[in-house]
Amino acid sequence: MGAHSRSSEVFDSVIVCAGKYHALHIPEINGLERYTGSVLHSSEYRNPERFRNKTVLIIGGGASAKEIAIDLALTAHKVIIAKRKSESIFRSQLPNVFETAIPNVYNEREVILNDGSSFHIDAIILCTGYRYDFPFLSAECLVEASRGRVSPLYRHLVHCVYPSMAFPLLLTLVPITPFLDCQVKYFKALLDGKTKLPSTEDMLLCTANDYQQRLQQSGGNPRQVAHGFPQEKGWAYVTELGQDGGFHPYDPVIQEMTKVAFESIFSGNLTYKDDLFQCIDSFTFKHVKAASISDL
């Protein structure tokens, strides 16, 4: 078929596996248009050599901001992390990495922080995440996608109106492999007739109630919570999928390994990506911690 050819086919089911890391979220940052230096999204970052001996401003406070800052700390002159939340990511572990609020004043090659101090900035990296986007789905598919939510999805997976369509792994705050495995097995159980869905009305109501409860618990910020599952709630979610789908969701060792890994990530450990985990059996594992960054 040619590049502009079109054809129509009929399928019994559709699984949308387009991922959630392809549509960049570029927020409007007041005054940033005055800055004339290099501006890139975290998805464009490859290695720290490009920024050797330079001063880099990172905007964002999530996982990509943390990982890029750790990488840059070994080569850059100075790394400034600008974020909304006040709590520290690094707890002063890296002498050339500083944390501050998002600046309001940008000049050609300079930013002025909220405390009045100013810095010459060689590059700005936007660690501002992604948004859900499915441009290949027509309006008739009745899918609403935004930065933080895809709807209407029963159990964050199955289209409430067209239940032969599934959207696996839109979830956040979860380990990818075991959760994806459970979602796919559950959807296959539906297709095989091993379990059944509630009525369309009940699925829509369940989905709406779940979202409203999440909004209330988050104080009205849907971006992080619409499909987010903190540890215990996440494992309860996949356990429920397994019970209804008639399959064993995961071995206990997977939950324990994940717990230790997440604790390492959020404890301030700067070399957590180099930790090694070895599964011994269904209940036990071995965890080998990497050297600290000061030993590198």
Side-chain angles (χ1 to χ4, degrees):
M1 295 179 62
H4 301 288
S5 299
R6 301 184 66 177
S7 65
S8 296
E9 296 186 49
V10 177
F11 295 90
D12 296 313
S13 62
V14 175
I15 303 178
V16 181
C17 300
K20 54 185 178 180
Y21 299 114
H22 60 89
L24 309 184
H25 174 65
I26 309 293
E28 291 187 11
I29 300 176
N30 185 38
L32 184 59
E33 70 278 359
R34 292 192 294 272
Y35 178 74
T36 58
S38 175
V39 179
L40 64 152
H41 189 270
S42 58
S43 62
E44 302 172 79
Y45 178 84
R46 294 296 179 268
N47 63 70
E49 282 303 314
R50 172 180 173 182
F51 307 96
R52 180 172 291 278
N53 299 324
K54 295 183 177 182
T55 298
V56 181
L57 173 66
I58 294 177
I59 297 180
S64 60
K66 177 178 181 179
E67 293 182 6
I68 290 176
I70 292 173
D71 209 31
L72 289 175
L74 299 175
T75 60
H77 170 64
K78 183 177 297 182
V79 180
I80 303 172
I81 302 177
K83 52 192 177 60
R84 290 194 302 268
K85 296 182 178 180
S86 59
E87 58 264 30
S88 173
I89 299 175
F90 297 110
R91 305 184 182 99
S92 302
Q93 296 180 76
L94 301 173
N96 61 337
V97 176
F98 304 87
E99 300 177 57
T100 184
I102 297 176
N104 292 320
V105 180
Y106 299 82
N107 296 319
E108 289 187 358
R109 286 298 184 96
E110 178 190 57
V111 298
I112 301 177
L113 304 183
N114 294 347
D115 63 1
S117 59
S118 61
F119 291 90
H120 172 86
I121 300 296
D122 296 298
I124 296 177
I125 302 178
L126 301 175
C127 295
T128 50
Y130 301 80
R131 55 186 172 82
Y132 296 114
D133 185 40
F134 308 100
F136 49 85
L137 297 179
S138 66
E140 289 79 6
C141 292
L142 301 179
V143 175
E144 295 185 14
S146 64
R147 186 186 178 195
R149 188 186 184 210
V150 180
S151 65
L153 298 183
Y154 178 65
R155 286 181 164 172
H156 308 269
L157 174 66
V158 181
H159 197 304
C160 293
V161 181
Y162 300 117
S164 61
M165 178 179 289
F167 294 75
L169 208 67
L170 301 179
L171 309 179
T172 59
L173 309 177
V174 302
I176 294 175
T177 304
F179 279 64
L180 176 60
D181 181 66
C182 288
Q183 285 190 318
V184 171
K185 287 179 178 177
Y186 174 72
F187 189 61
K188 185 177 186 301
L190 289 172
L191 297 179
D192 291 341
K194 295 180 179 179
T195 188
K196 295 185 181 298
L197 292 169
S199 67
T200 299
E201 292 75 16
D202 286 346
M203 287 192 290
L204 288 170
L205 180 60
C206 178
T207 300
N209 289 341
D210 175 75
Y211 183 57
Q212 289 304 316
Q213 184 179 21
R214 288 165 175 267
L215 281 180
Q216 292 174 4
Q217 294 173 348
S218 70
N221 178 13
R223 183 174 66 85
Q224 293 288 354
V225 301
H227 302 296
F229 279 95
Q231 285 288 295
E232 294 304 321
K233 290 185 178 180
W235 296 111
Y237 165 77
V238 291
T239 296
E240 189 176 82
L241 294 184
Q243 290 173 343
D244 289 356
F247 60 88
H248 176 64
Y250 60 90
D251 288 332
V253 68
I254 301 299
Q255 182 176 359
E256 291 304 312
M257 289 173 66
T258 302
K259 179 181 178 181
V260 172
F262 273 52
E263 287 175 350
S264 181
I265 292 171
F266 295 111
S267 67
N269 176 14
L270 302 183
T271 56
Y272 65 89
K273 292 181 69 175
D274 296 320
D275 285 6
L276 299 178
F277 289 83
Q278 180 182 5
C279 181
I280 305 300
D281 54 39
S282 296
F283 297 92
T284 57
F285 67 95
K286 182 179 181 181
H287 176 206
V288 178
K289 294 184 178 181
S292 67
I293 198 166
S294 61
D295 296 329
L296 299 179

